[in-house]
Amino acid sequence: MRVALVCPYSLTRPGGVQGQVLGLARALDTAGHDVLVVAPDDARPPGLERVPDGPSRYAAGSSTRVQANGSVAPVALDPRAAWRARRAVAGFGAEVVHLHEPFAPAVGYGVLLEHALPSVGTYHRAGEGRGYRLAAPLARWADARLDVRCAVSEAAASTVAAVVGRRPVEVLFNGVEVDRFAGAAPVPSDAPAILFLGRHERRKGLEVLLEAYRRAEWPEGVAHPVLWVAGDGPETAGLRRRFAGVSGVEWLGVLPDAEVPGRLAGASVLCAPALGGESFGMVLLEAMAAGCAVVASDIPGYRAAAGGHAALVPPGDPETLGVVLADEVARRAAGHAEPGPGADGTGLLPAHLQAARRHAEEWSMDRLAERYVALYRRAVDRASRI
């Protein structure tokens, strides 16, 4: 099929939706489909970029950072971006268009004006927020133009239902590019490494993690763990000043996409201390695929993704988080390595991490792509009967 994937968020900023769009594009391309990704892009002028042996991208324009759901969304607000997106999809000759976060401005709105094109929409967000309520009339207009509606989790499905009503929605999942993470070469570390990977804003809980790391009593006989802090955001400068005297914290900045699997493979523990607002714990599954233990907040999106393979702690509780992190570091240090199911068949993992990797494989991007292709065909069939 010829599929246009429309992402409202800039591809030059790391994010969960952007990662899902690009990963799905690669999986569809590998499966033999023709794919075009349309999104804002702050690194390139508007226009088409043909990628050798991969899905092409169309830059619809630059983005503006907008406060949304306790975070900052890099969306294109220029109406010309919506017009360019519409032109790009039409010029590509798409059989179906797949819009991610259909309510987010503005590139998707231009595509939805062409109602004759079969359309699938995927909702990622959990938590309504003031913006959702204010934009409800526009959201209902956009939602009504979709032939097939999906959500990445029950939390995301409930969020969209609160805005537009309980129309039929297919609850799928976010996909993991398992081979990409399972086969990654670990970034070396002289000590056990705890990794934080996310934007530095309040709802991601980095402050809680730093406080937990400062208070924690680490196991005897194990090297003092290092805390790798990846990403950036509005709280970076303040947190760096506040925790400047804490030894062992390494501020990595925003990691290139290609470096993330190696960091996860090299870490002993991934810590995801978010306070809320997470519809699905994608990074938890990526860590499991890479063979990394996971400690995360006990919130619905993370709980659903973990499937019993992560240590969950109450959000916003640095004392408990520090105790659990110390336990996980000790457990990983004492774990007996057994042959693991890595991409090359030679990886060594403790048994509980092997089980976590098998759990992550159930959420593979290839499997998700198959589910989406079935929905694309349903959208085409529905549009042909209207």
Side-chain angles (χ1 to χ4, degrees):
M1 301 186 73
R2 292 181 68 79
V3 183
L5 302 180
V6 179
C7 176
Y9 305 131
S10 175
L11 297 182
T12 54
R13 297 291 302 174
V17 176
Q18 297 95 310
Q20 283 297 293
V21 170
L22 294 174
L24 178 59
R26 287 189 286 264
L28 291 169
D29 179 76
T30 299
H33 303 282
D34 294 326
V35 183
L36 174 68
V37 176
V38 179
D41 194 319
D42 300 298
R44 295 192 301 111
L48 181 66
E49 177 188 16
R50 299 192 182 279
V51 179
D53 301 321
S56 297
R57 301 183 187 181
Y58 183 89
S62 59
S63 69
T64 300
R65 298 184 182 185
V66 176
Q67 293 285 340
N69 198 28
S71 184
V72 178
V75 296
L77 299 179
D78 188 341
R80 291 175 296 180
W83 177 81
R84 292 187 194 109
R86 183 180 179 182
R87 288 281 303 271
V89 172
F92 177 63
E95 295 174 67
V96 63
V97 60
H98 183 178
L99 298 105
H100 291 257
E101 292 291 41
F103 296 170
V107 293
Y109 293 142
V111 176
L112 285 173
L113 286 171
E114 183 55 68
H115 189 44
L117 188 63
S119 58
V120 173
T122 295
Y123 295 100
H124 296 256
R125 173 174 169 164
E128 294 178 54
R130 184 169 177 267
Y132 251 31
R133 292 192 296 272
L134 292 175
L138 186 58
R140 286 192 287 269
W141 171 85
D143 186 79
R145 288 178 171 264
L146 299 172
D147 294 297
V148 175
R149 304 158 74 251
C150 313
V152 300
S153 65
E154 292 289 353
S158 296
T159 296
V160 69
V163 179
V164 302
R166 295 194 173 277
R167 297 179 59 210
V169 59
E170 184 112 5
V171 178
L172 299 178
F173 55 94
N174 279 318
V176 184
E177 295 179 273
V178 175
D179 290 347
R180 179 169 171 251
F181 289 92
V187 173
S189 176
D190 293 333
I194 299 167
L195 174 63
F196 173 88
L197 188 62
R199 186 165 168 77
H200 302 175
E201 57 199 12
R202 183 180 180 278
R203 77 178 179 97
K204 293 293 187 179
L206 176 57
E207 179 182 5
V208 179
L209 171 56
L210 288 164
E211 186 62 41
Y213 181 79
R214 175 163 63 182
R215 297 186 190 183
E217 297 181 6
W218 303 108
E220 294 184 7
V222 178
H224 188 284
V226 63
L227 176 58
W228 288 339
V229 179
D232 66 6
E235 293 194 343
T236 304
L239 291 174
R240 291 194 69 161
R241 287 193 299 270
R242 179 178 167 187
F243 293 93
V246 180
S247 63
V249 181
E250 296 184 14
W251 298 84
L252 307 178
V254 177
L255 297 181
D257 190 53
E259 189 177 327
V260 172
R263 283 286 176 181
L264 285 169
S268 296
V269 180
L270 169 84
C271 185
L275 304 180
E278 303 292 329
S279 66
F280 190 87
M282 191 68 244
V283 68
L284 277 63
L285 293 172
E286 292 173 344
M288 293 176 192
C292 182
V294 174
V295 174
S297 297
D298 190 3
I299 57 178
Y302 286 173
R303 197 181 311 125
H309 295 280
L312 301 179
V313 301
D317 183 348
E319 183 173 352
T320 301
L321 179 59
V323 170
V324 174
L325 283 172
D327 288 345
E328 285 297 319
V329 169
R331 184 184 188 193
R332 184 67 189 270
H336 297 290
E338 301 174 10
D344 59 1
T346 62
L348 295 178
L349 287 176
H352 70 288
L353 296 183
Q354 290 188 43
R357 178 175 282 173
R358 288 192 294 270
H359 171 69
E361 289 170 352
E362 296 176 6
W363 307 81
S364 76
M365 185 65 78
D366 291 340
R367 183 177 299 179
L368 179 61
E370 292 174 0
R371 294 281 299 274
Y372 272 127
V373 169
L375 296 181
Y376 298 159
R377 299 195 188 282
R378 186 194 302 176
V380 171
D381 179 63
R382 183 180 186 276
S384 68
R385 291 185 279 109
I386 296 177

